[in-house]
Amino acid sequence: MKNNEKKKVSAVKNNIYALKLLWKICPNVVFHKAFSILIDYGEWLFYSAFFMRYVINALQEGKPFSTMIVFIGITVAIFASKTLYKNYLNGKVIPLASASVNKDLYQILFRKSRNVELECFENADFYDKYTLAMKNADTQLIKTVETIFGVVFGAIASVCAFIFMFQVDKLSVAFILLPIIGNFVFRRINSGIDYKRNKDMAPYNRRIDYINRVMYLKEYAKEIRLTKVFNLLKRQYRESIGGVADVTKKYVWKSASLHWLYVMFTFTFIFEGLLIYGAFRTLVSNSMSLAQLAVITSMMVSTTWILIGFTDSVTNCFKNGLFVDYLRTFLEYEEKIPEDYNGADPGTEIQSIEFRNVSFSYKDVQVLSNLNMKLEGKKTYALVGHNGAGKSTIIKLLLRFYDPSKGEILLNGRNIKEYNLQKYRSLFATAFQDNRMFSMTVVDNVILGEDIPQKKRKAVVKEALELSGVYEKIMTLPKGMDTILTREFDDEGAVLSGGEFQKIEVARAFARNCPVKVFDEPSSALDPIAEYKLFDNILKACKENTLLFISHRLSSVQNADYVFLLENGKVKEEGTHRSLMKKKGLYADMYQKQAENYLADSRKQKEGIWA
């Protein structure tokens, strides 16, 4: 019971939060939604409680026909005005307001998503809430507020209907209990059964959705045609359909029975019962006038639909509360590393970068342990080691995507947490191995919005593409550097190879004028010859920079000023290439083994073993 009470209180708070948020973004849409729902309920009550009573009483009392015509004319004019207002509202006001809500709300959401730390996107629970908050957020928010007013005005209208029927005939009020029982008892129980049924079906529906998705995604097309995996998918599909059928059979009779009770209590019993009761009072006992009968029968219809609308709004308020909870959780999240943090200006001169006793754990798994490293300005450093040694994590910590669990990272002797985050990150030009291309031109993909004068943009991009070794390939494309990459929005867009995309990623680092250049496995998709040329260009182009790069091929680190060999999150060996080779430790062993493999591959190629 306590949990249910907490959920109800939480749902109320979330809906109030949604109302405040929409009012802040666009009070116009809040006002019009509230007024629209108010006049809808008002129309139902007016027609059934006043209009019918007046017309029938006027006929019975023999009032002048002109008086009736005036009353009816005024009523028609009011209803026509209401219709015109609704058409104006739905045709102009709401579409314009919805566009405004869409723009302003998504600006808030995008600003927040830009400001939260990278860890949030790697946290499955947070990311799920983020995606659910973003999905149709504008329409969901408007529907939520609309539902709130449905509850408020529906409750008022229900009370008014109760009072009006009580004034006409006290006993007729008892019939209102029937749709209340139908909606709040049987419908609620049936909703619980629907929830259980959907929950039981979820594993089967996920499997069905997965198979449907696999059948049209190009990533799976080759395997489906070259193997017999289609038979396995077909079997899983049949089993899932069978599972859905079994779950349906499990709940069908209980659900059907409750739905029948809902219909009978909500519609049949009140309609037929109240009509028979009124007819008896009017025709048999002569204790009810024709006007009272007309009011009761029309109130019966209005009250039923008012109660249905009210209960639907109450139910939807709790459902919408879950969406608002996701939205609220996301917007109220306090960033650990806010992107807009305004600290000290780090300047542009790099004297030293130091990792001092740095430890870092990710999801309770220790990645770095008491790491100590120091990089001096305008020198070249290499990070080497097996996969999982912590190399890429060091880069992420250096860029403040994460903060160390213990220890500190210093720039020019000062903790990097003290610096303005955007100015601090602007010191680094980076190229990661897990590159991503945007559906933009080659120029835009290289510059990525950097503030470069329009006249110099193409010259900067050309030089960067030449250094990364992909310029000649780009110039063979239909529009050269103005060619759109990927075919997301352009059927004539270019889809390059993995190595070519990686070279464009590297070109981004060349194009940025930053004191520190960071390359994380920049040649992982390249052949040895292309790799050699790339590293040669990196070393030449970054002579005036502090250069830090990660490479799994040790032949490319020979010319680095200093090498750090990592193992299990610690620096195992460090020094120049020559000193580490003389030491004959882990580095020398790894280098020797790689050299032997290269020589063996070279002999095979010369002997014609490889095509």
Side-chain angles (χ1 to χ4, degrees):
M1 290 295 291
K2 289 183 178 180
N3 288 334
N4 287 334
E5 290 299 322
K6 286 181 180 179
K7 288 180 180 179
K8 290 177 182 177
V9 172
S10 178
V12 171
K13 288 182 178 179
N14 286 333
N15 280 281
I16 293 173
Y17 176 85
L19 181 59
K20 289 180 178 178
L21 179 61
L22 188 58
W23 179 263
K24 181 181 178 182
I25 293 172
C26 185
N28 190 37
V29 74
V30 176
F31 170 78
H32 281 292
K33 281 293 181 183
F35 186 66
S36 173
I37 293 169
L38 176 64
I39 61 176
D40 280 340
Y41 278 117
E43 180 182 6
W44 280 6
L45 290 172
F46 174 81
Y47 179 78
S48 56
F50 295 102
F51 181 81
M52 291 301 296
R53 179 189 292 183
Y54 177 85
V55 171
I56 293 174
N57 280 336
L59 289 171
Q60 287 182 333
E61 294 170 5
K63 288 185 177 181
F65 185 70
S66 58
T67 304
M68 293 175 59
I69 290 296
V70 170
F71 175 76
I72 293 171
I74 293 172
T75 302
V76 170
I78 292 172
F79 286 173
S81 299
K82 181 248 180 183
T83 301
L84 289 173
Y85 166 73
K86 295 280 284 188
N87 290 337
Y88 171 73
L89 186 68
N90 295 324
K92 182 177 181 180
V93 175
I94 296 301
L96 290 175
S98 296
S100 176
V101 171
N102 179 286
K103 177 177 69 71
D104 293 343
L105 178 59
Y106 275 100
Q107 279 186 351
I108 294 171
L109 289 168
F110 290 153
R111 195 180 304 121
K112 186 69 176 182
S113 65
R114 173 70 177 81
N115 207 46
V116 298
E117 62 272 13
L118 185 65
E119 183 181 355
C120 292
F121 291 87
E122 296 176 349
N123 182 313
D125 183 57
F126 184 93
Y127 189 71
D128 286 345
K129 288 184 178 181
Y130 165 61
T131 52
L132 288 168
M134 294 287 281
K135 187 177 181 180
N136 301 323
D138 54 335
T139 54
Q140 286 269 47
L141 186 62
I142 293 173
K143 284 181 181 178
T144 299
V145 171
E146 189 175 11
T147 301
I148 293 170
F149 289 118
V151 171
V152 173
F153 294 128
I156 295 171
S158 298
V159 172
C160 290
F162 181 90
I163 293 170
F164 292 152
M165 288 190 72
F166 185 82
Q167 289 176 340
V168 175
D169 185 87
K170 296 178 181 179
L171 190 59
S172 66
V173 174
F175 286 90
I176 295 179
L177 295 174
L178 297 174
I180 291 176
I181 293 171
N183 280 278
F184 282 99
V185 178
F186 297 117
R187 192 178 185 190
R188 186 174 179 181
I189 296 173
N190 205 20
S191 295
I193 290 173
D194 287 343
Y195 173 79
K196 291 179 181 178
R197 180 176 56 201
N198 292 335
K199 186 177 179 181
D200 290 349
M201 283 184 179
Y204 303 112
N205 286 329
R206 280 201 301 271
R207 175 62 65 179
I208 291 169
D209 290 341
Y210 170 76
I211 295 170
N212 286 337
R213 192 164 64 251
V214 164
M215 291 306 298
Y216 70 75
L217 288 176
K218 65 180 181 180
E219 289 86 348
Y220 299 93
K222 293 192 295 293
E223 283 78 5
I224 290 174
R225 283 153 181 77
L226 294 173
T227 68
K228 295 183 179 180
V229 71
F230 177 75
N231 294 330
L232 296 176
L233 292 171
K234 185 167 63 174
R235 187 184 69 194
Q236 290 180 343
Y237 191 85
R238 286 175 177 171
E239 289 173 353
S240 298
I241 292 293
V244 169
D246 291 339
V247 172
T248 302
K249 291 175 185 177
K250 178 181 176 181
Y251 292 101
V252 64
W253 290 112
K254 189 181 291 185
S255 179
S257 300
L258 286 166
H259 182 72
W260 181 82
L261 289 169
Y262 159 71
V263 172
M264 294 301 290
F265 273 82
T266 303
F267 300 102
T268 307
F269 290 162
I270 185 174
F271 286 177
E272 304 299 334
L274 193 59
L275 191 61
I276 292 171
Y277 168 76
F280 176 83
R281 290 280 307 275
T282 304
L283 301 175
V284 179
S285 65
N286 295 319
S287 57
M288 181 180 288
S289 67
L290 185 61
Q292 288 175 315
L293 177 62
V295 170
I296 283 180
T297 53
S298 60
M299 282 297 299
M300 167 189 68
V301 176
S302 297
T303 302
T304 299
W305 288 112
I306 287 171
L307 286 170
I308 290 173
F310 172 63
T311 52
D312 282 346
S313 296
V314 170
T315 302
N316 288 332
C317 255
F318 286 102
K319 289 181 179 178
N320 294 336
L322 187 60
F323 152 73
V324 180
D325 185 57
Y326 294 144
L327 182 66
R328 187 178 181 182
T329 299
F330 178 64
L331 290 179
E332 292 184 346
Y333 173 76
E334 292 186 12
E335 301 90 343
K336 297 174 185 175
I337 311 175
E339 293 288 322
D340 58 359
Y341 177 73
N342 186 21
D345 188 340
T348 56
E349 291 294 323
I350 305 298
Q351 297 169 6
S352 65
I353 298 172
E354 183 178 0
F355 284 69
R356 184 180 293 174
N357 301 318
V358 169
S359 295
F360 178 74
S361 297
Y362 182 70
K363 293 183 177 179
D364 299 325
V365 177
Q366 184 133 357
V367 183
L368 299 178
S369 177
N370 200 34
L371 180 80
N372 288 280
M373 290 172 45
K374 188 169 185 179
L375 287 63
E376 295 180 5
K378 296 187 178 180
K379 288 190 176 182
T380 300
Y381 295 86
L383 297 178
V384 299
H386 297 295
N387 290 336
K391 304 185 297 295
S392 294
T393 301
I394 289 173
I395 303 299
K396 291 178 181 179
L397 290 172
L398 178 63
L399 297 172
R400 275 209 80 192
F401 290 150
Y402 302 93
D403 280 333
S405 307
K406 294 180 181 178
E408 57 183 348
I409 303 172
L410 308 174
L411 172 69
N412 298 336
R414 191 170 181 177
N415 195 312
I416 63 173
K417 292 181 181 180
E418 299 177 18
Y419 291 120
N420 177 294
L421 187 57
Q422 290 302 309
K423 290 182 179 179
Y424 171 75
R425 288 210 183 127
S426 68
L427 300 174
F428 300 89
T430 57
F432 293 102
Q433 58 178 313
D434 53 344
N435 54 299
R436 291 291 181 269
M437 289 298 115
F438 295 93
S439 188
M440 303 174 183
T441 65
V442 175
V443 171
D444 287 332
N445 260 291
V446 173
I447 291 179
L448 293 179
E450 288 295 312
D451 189 17
I452 298 174
Q454 190 70 29
K455 293 180 180 179
K456 295 183 179 180
R457 283 165 58 91
K458 288 200 172 181
V460 169
V461 173
K462 178 184 177 184
E463 183 182 4
L465 293 173
E466 287 176 337
L467 287 170
S468 66
V470 75
Y471 177 71
E472 291 183 3
K473 171 63 181 179
I474 295 301
M475 295 313 292
T476 65
L477 300 177
K479 297 180 182 179
M481 290 188 289
D482 292 320
T483 303
I484 298 289
L485 294 180
T486 79
R487 292 177 183 156
E488 187 78 24
F489 307 111
D490 189 345
D491 291 338
E492 297 181 357
V495 178
L496 305 178
S497 69
E500 289 162 346
F501 274 138
Q502 190 169 44
K503 289 177 181 179
I504 293 176
E505 170 79 10
V506 172
R508 293 170 177 171
F510 284 131
R512 293 192 66 187
N513 184 20
C514 302
V516 184
K517 303 276 187 175
V518 179
F519 295 88
D520 182 3
E521 296 279 15
S523 60
S524 58
L526 305 183
D527 61 74
I529 296 174
E531 179 190 41
Y532 174 80
K533 291 179 180 178
L534 176 62
F535 272 102
D536 188 51
N537 287 341
I538 289 174
L539 293 171
K540 289 177 181 177
C542 302
K543 284 182 178 180
E544 297 302 315
N545 302 103
T546 303
L547 175 60
L548 175 63
F549 66 89
I550 297 173
S551 179
H552 64 285
R553 291 173 182 164
L554 300 188
S555 59
S556 59
V557 308
Q558 297 179 66
N559 296 320
D561 294 319
Y562 208 77
V563 180
F564 293 98
L565 172 66
L566 284 93
E567 188 176 87
N568 298 324
K570 296 181 179 180
V571 176
K572 276 292 184 181
E573 295 180 4
E574 59 181 293
T576 64
H577 169 73
R578 183 171 296 180
S579 67
L580 290 174
M581 291 301 291
K582 286 181 179 179
K583 190 176 180 180
K584 296 184 178 180
L586 290 173
Y587 178 86
D589 183 61
M590 290 173 62
Y591 186 88
Q592 191 65 37
K593 287 178 179 177
Q594 286 192 7
E596 290 173 0
N597 288 333
Y598 289 147
L599 287 172
D601 292 345
S602 179
R603 282 197 299 270
K604 287 179 181 179
Q605 286 179 319
K606 288 179 180 179
E607 294 169 3
I609 295 175
W610 286 2

